[in-house]
Amino acid sequence: MRDRFLKECKDTSKAITYLIFCVVLATVFFFQYRADVRYDLTQSQKGILFEESKWGGTKNHLLVEPTPDMGNYGSESAEVPEQVRRNMAYRLYRDMVNNRYDTYRFGILTHNSLKYDGRQKVLAIFEKITGESFYKVDAEYYVMDLDKVMADRDMTQKEAMDYLREVYYKQLKNEFVPNQETTLFYDYVEYMPVNESLSYGEFKKEMAELRKVIGGHSDDYTNFAKYGSVPITYEEALSRYETFIYKDGISGAYARLFCDAMGVAAGILPALIAWELFRRGLRSKKREDKEIWIRFFSITAMSLLPILILAVVATFELSSGVRPLGLSIDYLAFIGYSLLWLLPTTAFSAAVGSFFTVVTKRSVGIFVQLVIWYWSVSLWTSNGFEPVKYGANMFLRHGVIGEYDTYAASLGGILINRVAYLLAALALIAATWYVGERQWNWQEKPRIRRKRAVYR
């Protein structure tokens, strides 16, 4: 049994799909997860408590301990109607100028452009929420920009117009692109009109109509709280810090972020590995129903192996990163979260690929798992934590640092979710073994040759 398991593990390691899986995991780790963590550590080591975001809510670095004499502890996003109305109207204005609306389709960010009819509907919505036409606001901003360039750069009107068209307005297209924001001439949102005769409830109805026109899932016009903010007090900042350091043990938060990054790949690629290996076995024409369980466990184990290796790397990098801050971490957190969050995901993905490959002899399992994967991804938005929390998803997502209280309150549901997917994986493999055994018994059943009757 042990020798057969090791042989299957060796065969798995040679599969092309397995090598692709390892490359994808490494890419996500080094270019997504690791980059985010290193940035947090760098800012924390500088003693930066918070950084301003676009609409006033701040990103607080929870590794920095607040002190009573700081005076400012940042702010948290909040749905403050007067802020939301003005800020969201400006966001809509900029999207209308670019005719580019960020939407999520099947969890993938797309840039949607509207045709004539759609643009006319959006123009009407804009006028309702601001009380002025889009063209009037646009003309007023243009005059402001033109005067600014002519005064600050000592340009003629023609030179200023060319500069705005060829340089500045091209830069403004990236105003809401993360890490690519351009330096603005003005804080334009301060000059955005608001229709005071429109109630906040009516404003939200107009935004609901806007979402229908845009199509897909638009986080920019769904998450009202991100357009407003309220200050964080010292007591709140200290409570966040203590929860992060003592309850979450630092590594708990980053382990969830690690699993969020790894889970997207672990939710689909093990199905491809299973498809390749079981297809290869079916082509060999050998009786393999007794090998099905061993092959499944080897695929699951080998899929988890690179994740655990990266978890060890992440553990020691985080430990060395917080040491200058006089802090320590839980060295088993990354391993524990990887087993709890990702083992059921890899097992279920491998089971789906195994079952449908044996039953259909085709790549149906890949498409079935892709549908499940898309369903899980489509529930999430840009930060991986809204509008739902954990639910019944195949892979759990927690793409933010912190939110420990939400995790702790959902722990019972998380355990039920993980056990359910693990049991579903075992049930699928049991069904795969049963089908495989029936198929081989049918193939090996001796055929009775009947003698043809002879009539004289």
Side-chain angles (χ1 to χ4, degrees):
M1 183 73 71
R2 175 176 172 273
D3 292 339
R4 285 191 295 177
F5 176 76
L6 294 176
K7 180 181 180 301
E8 288 291 343
C9 289
K10 185 177 180 181
D11 291 342
T12 302
S13 67
K14 295 178 180 179
I16 295 176
T17 49
Y18 181 73
L19 297 178
I20 294 173
F21 177 57
C22 292
V23 170
V24 170
L25 287 177
T27 302
V28 172
F29 177 81
F30 287 105
F31 293 98
Q32 179 179 329
Y33 166 80
R34 195 187 197 194
D36 291 343
V37 175
R38 284 193 167 186
Y39 180 79
D40 285 352
L41 292 173
T42 299
Q43 298 301 89
S44 297
Q45 289 167 4
K46 292 178 181 178
I48 298 175
L49 178 63
F50 64 88
E51 296 177 84
E52 295 287 348
S53 66
K54 183 68 179 176
W55 304 115
T58 60
K59 177 182 179 182
N60 284 54
H61 298 289
L62 300 176
L63 289 166
V64 178
E65 183 176 6
T67 57
D69 58 348
M70 284 183 171
N72 190 354
Y73 303 95
S75 57
E76 61 182 354
S77 297
E79 189 174 345
V80 183
E82 57 269 25
Q83 298 177 19
V84 173
R85 292 171 62 164
R86 193 178 301 276
N87 292 338
M88 190 174 282
Y90 176 69
R91 175 61 194 259
L92 177 58
Y93 164 78
R94 190 59 66 193
D95 285 349
M96 293 170 70
V97 170
N98 298 327
N99 192 22
R100 185 182 69 191
Y101 302 85
D102 294 341
T103 61
Y104 289 86
R105 297 179 184 275
F106 301 108
I108 300 173
L109 178 64
T110 59
H111 304 298
N112 190 17
S113 298
L114 299 179
K115 296 183 179 179
Y116 178 80
D117 290 342
R119 291 199 297 268
Q120 295 305 307
K121 292 178 181 178
V122 173
L123 284 169
I125 293 172
F126 181 84
E127 187 165 352
K128 286 182 181 179
I129 65 175
T130 63
E132 295 185 12
S133 72
F134 165 80
Y135 298 107
K136 180 181 179 182
V137 174
D138 189 47
E140 291 174 350
Y141 280 165
Y142 182 76
V143 171
M144 291 166 54
D145 292 337
L146 192 63
D147 291 343
K148 181 75 171 177
V149 174
M150 292 172 63
D152 292 355
R153 298 174 180 267
D154 194 24
M155 289 182 173
T156 65
Q157 187 179 56
K158 175 66 168 61
E159 290 172 335
M161 292 171 66
D162 291 342
Y163 175 79
L164 289 176
R165 182 182 65 257
E166 297 174 4
V167 180
Y168 184 62
Y169 288 151
K170 289 182 179 179
Q171 295 174 351
L172 275 183
K173 289 185 177 181
N174 295 323
E175 182 178 357
F176 294 101
V177 178
N179 304 320
Q180 295 186 39
E181 295 179 4
T182 186
T183 302
L184 305 179
F185 287 160
Y186 298 97
D187 188 3
Y188 295 100
V189 71
E190 294 181 0
Y191 302 91
M192 177 58 59
V194 173
N195 185 359
E196 299 293 347
S197 64
L198 191 74
S199 69
Y200 187 60
E202 292 171 328
F203 170 84
K204 298 183 80 169
K205 288 181 180 179
E206 293 299 325
M207 291 300 103
E209 184 63 29
L210 175 66
R211 293 195 295 271
K212 293 179 182 178
V213 176
I214 296 173
H217 174 78
S218 174
D219 182 55
D220 298 322
Y221 300 105
T222 301
N223 185 6
F224 293 89
K226 81 174 186 178
Y227 290 97
S229 63
V230 293
I232 296 175
T233 65
Y234 165 69
E235 290 75 18
E236 291 171 334
L238 182 62
S239 176
R240 288 183 175 191
Y241 172 80
E242 291 178 343
T243 296
F244 183 72
I245 299 298
Y246 303 114
K247 291 185 179 180
D248 215 1
I250 303 175
S251 50
Y254 286 102
R256 290 192 294 274
L257 186 67
F258 172 83
C259 290
D260 174 75
M262 298 293 106
V264 177
I268 183 65
L269 292 175
L272 274 73
I273 299 170
W275 165 76
E276 179 180 350
L277 294 176
F278 275 93
R279 185 188 62 169
R280 187 187 303 170
L282 291 171
R283 286 179 176 179
S284 69
K285 304 295 183 181
K286 292 164 55 180
R287 182 183 177 101
E288 290 195 319
D289 54 296
K290 296 181 180 179
E291 307 292 333
I292 287 175
W293 284 96
I294 297 176
R295 181 168 297 161
F296 162 72
F297 285 125
S298 69
I299 293 171
T300 302
M302 291 299 291
S303 297
L304 202 60
L305 179 61
I307 294 175
L308 294 177
I309 292 174
L310 292 174
V312 172
V313 175
T315 299
F316 285 99
E317 286 193 344
L318 182 62
S319 176
S320 61
V322 301
R323 194 172 297 121
L325 301 171
L327 301 171
S328 60
I329 67 170
D330 176 4
Y331 285 89
L332 297 178
F334 281 86
I335 299 295
Y337 272 94
S338 296
L339 292 174
L340 174 64
W341 285 43
L342 299 179
L343 174 58
T345 300
T346 56
F348 182 79
S349 180
V352 171
S354 304
F355 176 77
F356 284 98
T357 302
V358 171
V359 171
T360 67
K361 309 292 192 301
R362 291 179 175 84
S363 55
V364 176
I366 297 175
F367 295 102
V368 172
Q369 186 61 17
L370 191 60
V371 170
I372 299 173
W373 184 86
Y374 267 134
W375 172 77
S376 293
V377 170
S378 66
L379 296 177
W380 305 95
T381 53
S382 54
N383 67 3
F385 205 55
E386 295 170 353
V388 297
K389 297 300 185 285
Y390 302 104
N393 278 21
M394 177 186 59
F395 51 89
L396 302 174
R397 297 206 62 187
H398 192 111
V400 293
I401 294 297
E403 294 286 353
Y404 172 79
D405 291 337
T406 300
Y407 159 73
S410 306
L411 189 55
I414 290 173
L415 292 174
I416 293 174
N417 174 295
R418 296 294 79 191
V419 171
Y421 273 100
L422 194 57
L423 292 177
L426 296 175
L428 275 173
I429 288 302
T432 306
W433 172 82
Y434 176 77
V435 172
E437 185 180 40
R438 292 289 297 269
Q439 287 177 346
W440 285 112
N441 287 339
W442 181 83
Q443 291 177 10
E444 294 178 354
K445 185 176 180 180
R447 295 183 180 181
I448 300 175
R449 298 184 63 183
R450 297 182 178 180
K451 292 182 180 182
R452 182 178 296 174
V454 179
Y455 297 93
R456 298 179 181 274

PDB file of all heavy atoms in Angstrom, residues 3 18 21 25 32 38 40 69-70 82 132 137 141 165 207 222 232 243 247 263 294 314 334 344 354 363 400 416 431:
ATOM      1  N   ASP A   3       4.027   1.527  -0.886  1.00  0.00           N
ATOM      2  CA  ASP A   3       4.787   1.636  -2.130  1.00  0.00           C
ATOM      3  C   ASP A   3       3.914   2.151  -3.265  1.00  0.00           C
ATOM      4  O   ASP A   3       4.354   2.966  -4.085  1.00  0.00           O
ATOM      5  CB  ASP A   3       5.390   0.285  -2.501  1.00  0.00           C
ATOM      6  CG  ASP A   3       6.486  -0.143  -1.522  1.00  0.00           C
ATOM      7  OD1 ASP A   3       7.037   0.753  -0.842  1.00  0.00           O
ATOM      8  OD2 ASP A   3       6.763  -1.351  -1.425  1.00  0.00           O
ATOM      9  N   TYR A  18       0.279  19.219 -12.884  1.00  0.00           N
ATOM     10  CA  TYR A  18       0.802  19.445 -11.532  1.00  0.00           C
ATOM     11  C   TYR A  18       1.895  20.511 -11.547  1.00  0.00           C
ATOM     12  O   TYR A  18       1.952  21.367 -10.654  1.00  0.00           O
ATOM     13  CB  TYR A  18       1.347  18.153 -10.946  1.00  0.00           C
ATOM     14  CG  TYR A  18       1.873  18.312  -9.530  1.00  0.00           C
ATOM     15  CD1 TYR A  18       0.998  18.475  -8.464  1.00  0.00           C
ATOM     16  CD2 TYR A  18       3.244  18.321  -9.266  1.00  0.00           C
ATOM     17  CE1 TYR A  18       1.470  18.642  -7.172  1.00  0.00           C
ATOM     18  CE2 TYR A  18       3.720  18.481  -7.980  1.00  0.00           C
ATOM     19  CZ  TYR A  18       2.828  18.638  -6.933  1.00  0.00           C
ATOM     20  OH  TYR A  18       3.294  18.807  -5.646  1.00  0.00           O
ATOM     21  N   PHE A  21       0.270  23.760 -11.782  1.00  0.00           N
ATOM     22  CA  PHE A  21      -0.304  24.097 -10.478  1.00  0.00           C
ATOM     23  C   PHE A  21       0.753  24.721  -9.574  1.00  0.00           C
ATOM     24  O   PHE A  21       0.513  25.759  -8.927  1.00  0.00           O
ATOM     25  CB  PHE A  21      -0.868  22.827  -9.847  1.00  0.00           C
ATOM     26  CG  PHE A  21      -1.440  23.003  -8.472  1.00  0.00           C
ATOM     27  CD1 PHE A  21      -2.457  23.905  -8.228  1.00  0.00           C
ATOM     28  CD2 PHE A  21      -0.964  22.244  -7.410  1.00  0.00           C
ATOM     29  CE1 PHE A  21      -2.999  24.061  -6.955  1.00  0.00           C
ATOM     30  CE2 PHE A  21      -1.491  22.390  -6.134  1.00  0.00           C
ATOM     31  CZ  PHE A  21      -2.507  23.295  -5.916  1.00  0.00           C
ATOM     32  N   LEU A  25       0.784  28.585  -8.095  1.00  0.00           N
ATOM     33  CA  LEU A  25       0.856  28.860  -6.652  1.00  0.00           C
ATOM     34  C   LEU A  25       2.040  29.770  -6.329  1.00  0.00           C
ATOM     35  O   LEU A  25       1.910  30.731  -5.554  1.00  0.00           O
ATOM     36  CB  LEU A  25       0.982  27.556  -5.878  1.00  0.00           C
ATOM     37  CG  LEU A  25      -0.260  26.658  -5.783  1.00  0.00           C
ATOM     38  CD1 LEU A  25       0.077  25.377  -5.031  1.00  0.00           C
ATOM     39  CD2 LEU A  25      -1.414  27.378  -5.104  1.00  0.00           C
ATOM     40  N   GLN A  32       1.608  38.359  -5.331  1.00  0.00           N
ATOM     41  CA  GLN A  32       0.395  38.901  -4.729  1.00  0.00           C
ATOM     42  C   GLN A  32       0.502  38.912  -3.206  1.00  0.00           C
ATOM     43  O   GLN A  32       0.617  39.976  -2.589  1.00  0.00           O
ATOM     44  CB  GLN A  32      -0.824  38.090  -5.159  1.00  0.00           C
ATOM     45  CG  GLN A  32      -2.132  38.599  -4.550  1.00  0.00           C
ATOM     46  CD  GLN A  32      -3.329  37.777  -5.023  1.00  0.00           C
ATOM     47  OE1 GLN A  32      -3.345  37.251  -6.127  1.00  0.00           O
ATOM     48  NE2 GLN A  32      -4.333  37.670  -4.178  1.00  0.00           N
ATOM     49  N   ARG A  38       4.858  42.344   2.583  1.00  0.00           N
ATOM     50  CA  ARG A  38       6.095  43.137   2.707  1.00  0.00           C
ATOM     51  C   ARG A  38       5.794  44.630   2.796  1.00  0.00           C
ATOM     52  O   ARG A  38       6.473  45.366   3.520  1.00  0.00           O
ATOM     53  CB  ARG A  38       7.016  42.843   1.515  1.00  0.00           C
ATOM     54  CG  ARG A  38       7.715  41.495   1.622  1.00  0.00           C
ATOM     55  CD  ARG A  38       8.839  41.373   0.610  1.00  0.00           C
ATOM     56  NE  ARG A  38       9.696  40.239   0.907  1.00  0.00           N
ATOM     57  CZ  ARG A  38      10.826  39.969   0.259  1.00  0.00           C
ATOM     58  NH1 ARG A  38      11.210  40.761  -0.728  1.00  0.00           N
ATOM     59  NH2 ARG A  38      11.565  38.932   0.587  1.00  0.00           N
ATOM     60  N   ASP A  40       3.066  45.963   4.088  1.00  0.00           N
ATOM     61  CA  ASP A  40       2.556  46.197   5.457  1.00  0.00           C
ATOM     62  C   ASP A  40       3.699  46.261   6.456  1.00  0.00           C
ATOM     63  O   ASP A  40       3.724  47.132   7.339  1.00  0.00           O
ATOM     64  CB  ASP A  40       1.593  45.074   5.857  1.00  0.00           C
ATOM     65  CG  ASP A  40       0.239  45.218   5.178  1.00  0.00           C
ATOM     66  OD1 ASP A  40       0.002  46.247   4.523  1.00  0.00           O
ATOM     67  OD2 ASP A  40      -0.579  44.282   5.307  1.00  0.00           O
ATOM     68  N   ASP A  69      -0.948  60.316  22.527  1.00  0.00           N
ATOM     69  CA  ASP A  69      -0.540  61.644  22.067  1.00  0.00           C
ATOM     70  C   ASP A  69      -0.512  61.783  20.552  1.00  0.00           C
ATOM     71  O   ASP A  69      -0.071  62.791  20.024  1.00  0.00           O
ATOM     72  CB  ASP A  69       0.843  61.978  22.623  1.00  0.00           C
ATOM     73  CG  ASP A  69       1.892  60.949  22.221  1.00  0.00           C
ATOM     74  OD1 ASP A  69       1.500  59.879  21.722  1.00  0.00           O
ATOM     75  OD2 ASP A  69       3.094  61.213  22.402  1.00  0.00           O
ATOM     76  N   MET A  70      -0.992  60.780  19.821  1.00  0.00           N
ATOM     77  CA  MET A  70      -0.943  60.853  18.366  1.00  0.00           C
ATOM     78  C   MET A  70      -1.930  61.869  17.800  1.00  0.00           C
ATOM     79  O   MET A  70      -1.680  62.482  16.771  1.00  0.00           O
ATOM     80  CB  MET A  70      -1.232  59.471  17.755  1.00  0.00           C
ATOM     81  CG  MET A  70      -0.067  58.512  17.843  1.00  0.00           C
ATOM     82  SD  MET A  70      -0.450  56.946  17.017  1.00  0.00           S
ATOM     83  CE  MET A  70       1.157  56.146  17.043  1.00  0.00           C
ATOM     84  N   GLU A  82     -24.435  62.559   3.410  1.00  0.00           N
ATOM     85  CA  GLU A  82     -23.966  63.758   2.719  1.00  0.00           C
ATOM     86  C   GLU A  82     -22.619  63.528   2.029  1.00  0.00           C
ATOM     87  O   GLU A  82     -22.343  64.116   0.980  1.00  0.00           O
ATOM     88  CB  GLU A  82     -23.871  64.951   3.688  1.00  0.00           C
ATOM     89  CG  GLU A  82     -22.981  64.718   4.904  1.00  0.00           C
ATOM     90  CD  GLU A  82     -23.748  64.168   6.098  1.00  0.00           C
ATOM     91  OE1 GLU A  82     -24.805  63.544   5.879  1.00  0.00           O
ATOM     92  OE2 GLU A  82     -23.281  64.371   7.225  1.00  0.00           O
ATOM     93  N   GLU A 132     -27.845  69.205 -11.882  1.00  0.00           N
ATOM     94  CA  GLU A 132     -27.289  69.895 -13.038  1.00  0.00           C
ATOM     95  C   GLU A 132     -26.933  68.868 -14.107  1.00  0.00           C
ATOM     96  O   GLU A 132     -26.682  67.698 -13.796  1.00  0.00           O
ATOM     97  CB  GLU A 132     -26.049  70.711 -12.666  1.00  0.00           C
ATOM     98  CG  GLU A 132     -26.330  71.854 -11.707  1.00  0.00           C
ATOM     99  CD  GLU A 132     -25.099  72.712 -11.464  1.00  0.00           C
ATOM    100  OE1 GLU A 132     -24.107  72.550 -12.208  1.00  0.00           O
ATOM    101  OE2 GLU A 132     -25.123  73.523 -10.521  1.00  0.00           O
ATOM    102  N   VAL A 137     -21.531  70.583 -15.821  1.00  0.00           N
ATOM    103  CA  VAL A 137     -20.481  70.280 -14.840  1.00  0.00           C
ATOM    104  C   VAL A 137     -19.152  70.067 -15.551  1.00  0.00           C
ATOM    105  O   VAL A 137     -18.099  70.569 -15.121  1.00  0.00           O
ATOM    106  CB  VAL A 137     -20.854  69.037 -14.008  1.00  0.00           C
ATOM    107  CG1 VAL A 137     -19.696  68.639 -13.094  1.00  0.00           C
ATOM    108  CG2 VAL A 137     -22.112  69.307 -13.182  1.00  0.00           C
ATOM    109  N   TYR A 141     -15.662  72.262 -15.024  1.00  0.00           N
ATOM    110  CA  TYR A 141     -14.373  71.663 -14.664  1.00  0.00           C
ATOM    111  C   TYR A 141     -13.306  72.006 -15.704  1.00  0.00           C
ATOM    112  O   TYR A 141     -12.142  72.258 -15.365  1.00  0.00           O
ATOM    113  CB  TYR A 141     -14.521  70.146 -14.555  1.00  0.00           C
ATOM    114  CG  TYR A 141     -15.124  69.658 -13.249  1.00  0.00           C
ATOM    115  CD1 TYR A 141     -15.592  68.359 -13.134  1.00  0.00           C
ATOM    116  CD2 TYR A 141     -15.223  70.492 -12.147  1.00  0.00           C
ATOM    117  CE1 TYR A 141     -16.145  67.899 -11.942  1.00  0.00           C
ATOM    118  CE2 TYR A 141     -15.771  70.039 -10.959  1.00  0.00           C
ATOM    119  CZ  TYR A 141     -16.230  68.748 -10.860  1.00  0.00           C
ATOM    120  OH  TYR A 141     -16.778  68.300  -9.683  1.00  0.00           O
ATOM    121  N   ARG A 165      -5.508  67.991 -23.199  1.00  0.00           N
ATOM    122  CA  ARG A 165      -5.966  66.900 -24.053  1.00  0.00           C
ATOM    123  C   ARG A 165      -4.924  65.785 -24.174  1.00  0.00           C
ATOM    124  O   ARG A 165      -5.263  64.597 -24.100  1.00  0.00           O
ATOM    125  CB  ARG A 165      -6.304  67.442 -25.440  1.00  0.00           C
ATOM    126  CG  ARG A 165      -6.848  66.376 -26.397  1.00  0.00           C
ATOM    127  CD  ARG A 165      -7.143  66.928 -27.780  1.00  0.00           C
ATOM    128  NE  ARG A 165      -5.933  67.370 -28.471  1.00  0.00           N
ATOM    129  CZ  ARG A 165      -5.576  68.636 -28.600  1.00  0.00           C
ATOM    130  NH1 ARG A 165      -6.327  69.607 -28.107  1.00  0.00           N
ATOM    131  NH2 ARG A 165      -4.466  68.960 -29.243  1.00  0.00           N
ATOM    132  N   MET A 207     -29.263  54.937  -7.852  1.00  0.00           N
ATOM    133  CA  MET A 207     -28.061  54.108  -7.978  1.00  0.00           C
ATOM    134  C   MET A 207     -28.419  52.671  -8.338  1.00  0.00           C
ATOM    135  O   MET A 207     -27.690  51.995  -9.067  1.00  0.00           O
ATOM    136  CB  MET A 207     -27.262  54.134  -6.665  1.00  0.00           C
ATOM    137  CG  MET A 207     -26.618  55.479  -6.362  1.00  0.00           C
ATOM    138  SD  MET A 207     -25.436  56.018  -7.628  1.00  0.00           S
ATOM    139  CE  MET A 207     -26.433  57.245  -8.491  1.00  0.00           C
ATOM    140  N   THR A 222     -22.438  49.877  -5.342  1.00  0.00           N
ATOM    141  CA  THR A 222     -23.163  49.017  -4.400  1.00  0.00           C
ATOM    142  C   THR A 222     -22.718  49.275  -2.971  1.00  0.00           C
ATOM    143  O   THR A 222     -23.521  49.362  -2.056  1.00  0.00           O
ATOM    144  CB  THR A 222     -22.938  47.532  -4.745  1.00  0.00           C
ATOM    145  OG1 THR A 222     -23.384  47.284  -6.072  1.00  0.00           O
ATOM    146  CG2 THR A 222     -23.695  46.620  -3.791  1.00  0.00           C
ATOM    147  N   ILE A 232     -11.596  57.482  13.767  1.00  0.00           N
ATOM    148  CA  ILE A 232     -11.340  56.412  14.735  1.00  0.00           C
ATOM    149  C   ILE A 232     -10.774  57.044  15.998  1.00  0.00           C
ATOM    150  O   ILE A 232      -9.872  57.880  15.934  1.00  0.00           O
ATOM    151  CB  ILE A 232     -10.346  55.385  14.164  1.00  0.00           C
ATOM    152  CG1 ILE A 232     -10.947  54.687  12.938  1.00  0.00           C
ATOM    153  CG2 ILE A 232      -9.979  54.346  15.227  1.00  0.00           C
ATOM    154  CD1 ILE A 232      -9.964  53.741  12.245  1.00  0.00           C
ATOM    155  N   THR A 243      -6.562  43.300  19.640  1.00  0.00           N
ATOM    156  CA  THR A 243      -7.224  42.139  19.036  1.00  0.00           C
ATOM    157  C   THR A 243      -6.306  41.473  18.023  1.00  0.00           C
ATOM    158  O   THR A 243      -6.177  40.247  17.988  1.00  0.00           O
ATOM    159  CB  THR A 243      -8.539  42.559  18.350  1.00  0.00           C
ATOM    160  OG1 THR A 243      -9.438  43.061  19.347  1.00  0.00           O
ATOM    161  CG2 THR A 243      -9.182  41.378  17.637  1.00  0.00           C
ATOM    162  N   LYS A 247      -5.363  38.387  20.295  1.00  0.00           N
ATOM    163  CA  LYS A 247      -6.383  37.389  19.961  1.00  0.00           C
ATOM    164  C   LYS A 247      -6.069  36.666  18.649  1.00  0.00           C
ATOM    165  O   LYS A 247      -6.196  35.447  18.555  1.00  0.00           O
ATOM    166  CB  LYS A 247      -7.758  38.056  19.874  1.00  0.00           C
ATOM    167  CG  LYS A 247      -8.316  38.534  21.206  1.00  0.00           C
ATOM    168  CD  LYS A 247      -9.730  39.071  21.026  1.00  0.00           C
ATOM    169  CE  LYS A 247     -10.325  39.526  22.354  1.00  0.00           C
ATOM    170  NZ  LYS A 247     -11.703  40.057  22.173  1.00  0.00           N
ATOM    171  N   GLY A 263      -6.255  29.675  -2.233  1.00  0.00           N
ATOM    172  CA  GLY A 263      -7.506  28.944  -2.430  1.00  0.00           C
ATOM    173  C   GLY A 263      -8.074  29.062  -3.828  1.00  0.00           C
ATOM    174  O   GLY A 263      -8.717  28.133  -4.331  1.00  0.00           O
ATOM    175  N   ILE A 294      -6.147   5.229  -3.756  1.00  0.00           N
ATOM    176  CA  ILE A 294      -4.744   5.612  -3.580  1.00  0.00           C
ATOM    177  C   ILE A 294      -4.397   6.801  -4.461  1.00  0.00           C
ATOM    178  O   ILE A 294      -3.702   7.730  -4.030  1.00  0.00           O
ATOM    179  CB  ILE A 294      -3.828   4.409  -3.898  1.00  0.00           C
ATOM    180  CG1 ILE A 294      -4.095   3.272  -2.917  1.00  0.00           C
ATOM    181  CG2 ILE A 294      -2.363   4.829  -3.854  1.00  0.00           C
ATOM    182  CD1 ILE A 294      -3.309   2.011  -3.202  1.00  0.00           C
ATOM    183  N   ALA A 314       6.169  31.512   4.316  1.00  0.00           N
ATOM    184  CA  ALA A 314       5.425  32.676   4.789  1.00  0.00           C
ATOM    185  C   ALA A 314       5.569  32.863   6.296  1.00  0.00           C
ATOM    186  O   ALA A 314       5.665  33.993   6.788  1.00  0.00           O
ATOM    187  CB  ALA A 314       3.951  32.529   4.415  1.00  0.00           C
ATOM    188  N   PHE A 334      -0.051  29.210  10.006  1.00  0.00           N
ATOM    189  CA  PHE A 334      -0.148  29.030   8.560  1.00  0.00           C
ATOM    190  C   PHE A 334      -0.423  27.572   8.192  1.00  0.00           C
ATOM    191  O   PHE A 334      -1.219  27.293   7.298  1.00  0.00           O
ATOM    192  CB  PHE A 334       1.142  29.507   7.874  1.00  0.00           C
ATOM    193  CG  PHE A 334       1.225  30.999   7.719  1.00  0.00           C
ATOM    194  CD1 PHE A 334       1.728  31.796   8.745  1.00  0.00           C
ATOM    195  CD2 PHE A 334       0.795  31.615   6.559  1.00  0.00           C
ATOM    196  CE1 PHE A 334       1.805  33.172   8.606  1.00  0.00           C
ATOM    197  CE2 PHE A 334       0.860  32.988   6.408  1.00  0.00           C
ATOM    198  CZ  PHE A 334       1.366  33.768   7.442  1.00  0.00           C
ATOM    199  N   PRO A 344      -9.938  20.607   2.388  1.00  0.00           N
ATOM    200  CA  PRO A 344     -11.232  20.245   1.792  1.00  0.00           C
ATOM    201  C   PRO A 344     -11.393  20.759   0.355  1.00  0.00           C
ATOM    202  O   PRO A 344     -12.017  20.102  -0.481  1.00  0.00           O
ATOM    203  CB  PRO A 344     -12.262  20.894   2.723  1.00  0.00           C
ATOM    204  CG  PRO A 344     -11.546  21.050   4.028  1.00  0.00           C
ATOM    205  CD  PRO A 344     -10.133  21.364   3.649  1.00  0.00           C
ATOM    206  N   SER A 354     -11.810  13.413 -10.720  1.00  0.00           N
ATOM    207  CA  SER A 354     -11.680  11.953 -10.759  1.00  0.00           C
ATOM    208  C   SER A 354     -13.001  11.298 -11.173  1.00  0.00           C
ATOM    209  O   SER A 354     -13.032  10.434 -12.056  1.00  0.00           O
ATOM    210  CB  SER A 354     -11.250  11.429  -9.394  1.00  0.00           C
ATOM    211  OG  SER A 354     -10.056  12.049  -8.958  1.00  0.00           O
ATOM    212  N   SER A 363     -13.319  14.976 -20.538  1.00  0.00           N
ATOM    213  CA  SER A 363     -12.893  16.065 -19.647  1.00  0.00           C
ATOM    214  C   SER A 363     -14.065  16.825 -19.044  1.00  0.00           C
ATOM    215  O   SER A 363     -13.952  18.008 -18.732  1.00  0.00           O
ATOM    216  CB  SER A 363     -11.999  17.043 -20.419  1.00  0.00           C
ATOM    217  OG  SER A 363     -12.660  17.519 -21.574  1.00  0.00           O
ATOM    218  N   VAL A 400      -8.811  40.466   3.452  1.00  0.00           N
ATOM    219  CA  VAL A 400      -8.473  41.678   4.182  1.00  0.00           C
ATOM    220  C   VAL A 400      -7.690  41.294   5.434  1.00  0.00           C
ATOM    221  O   VAL A 400      -7.850  40.202   5.968  1.00  0.00           O
ATOM    222  CB  VAL A 400      -9.731  42.481   4.578  1.00  0.00           C
ATOM    223  CG1 VAL A 400     -10.428  43.039   3.355  1.00  0.00           C
ATOM    224  CG2 VAL A 400     -10.695  41.612   5.372  1.00  0.00           C
ATOM    225  N   ILE A 416     -18.500  23.669   9.633  1.00  0.00           N
ATOM    226  CA  ILE A 416     -19.533  22.907   8.928  1.00  0.00           C
ATOM    227  C   ILE A 416     -19.249  22.893   7.428  1.00  0.00           C
ATOM    228  O   ILE A 416     -19.349  21.853   6.758  1.00  0.00           O
ATOM    229  CB  ILE A 416     -20.922  23.510   9.208  1.00  0.00           C
ATOM    230  CG1 ILE A 416     -21.292  23.315  10.685  1.00  0.00           C
ATOM    231  CG2 ILE A 416     -21.975  22.886   8.305  1.00  0.00           C
ATOM    232  CD1 ILE A 416     -22.578  24.006  11.090  1.00  0.00           C
ATOM    233  N   ALA A 431     -18.067   6.828  -4.964  1.00  0.00           N
ATOM    234  CA  ALA A 431     -18.858   6.609  -6.179  1.00  0.00           C
ATOM    235  C   ALA A 431     -17.955   6.315  -7.373  1.00  0.00           C
ATOM    236  O   ALA A 431     -18.293   5.479  -8.230  1.00  0.00           O
ATOM    237  CB  ALA A 431     -19.720   7.836  -6.455  1.00  0.00           C
TER     238      ALA A 431
END
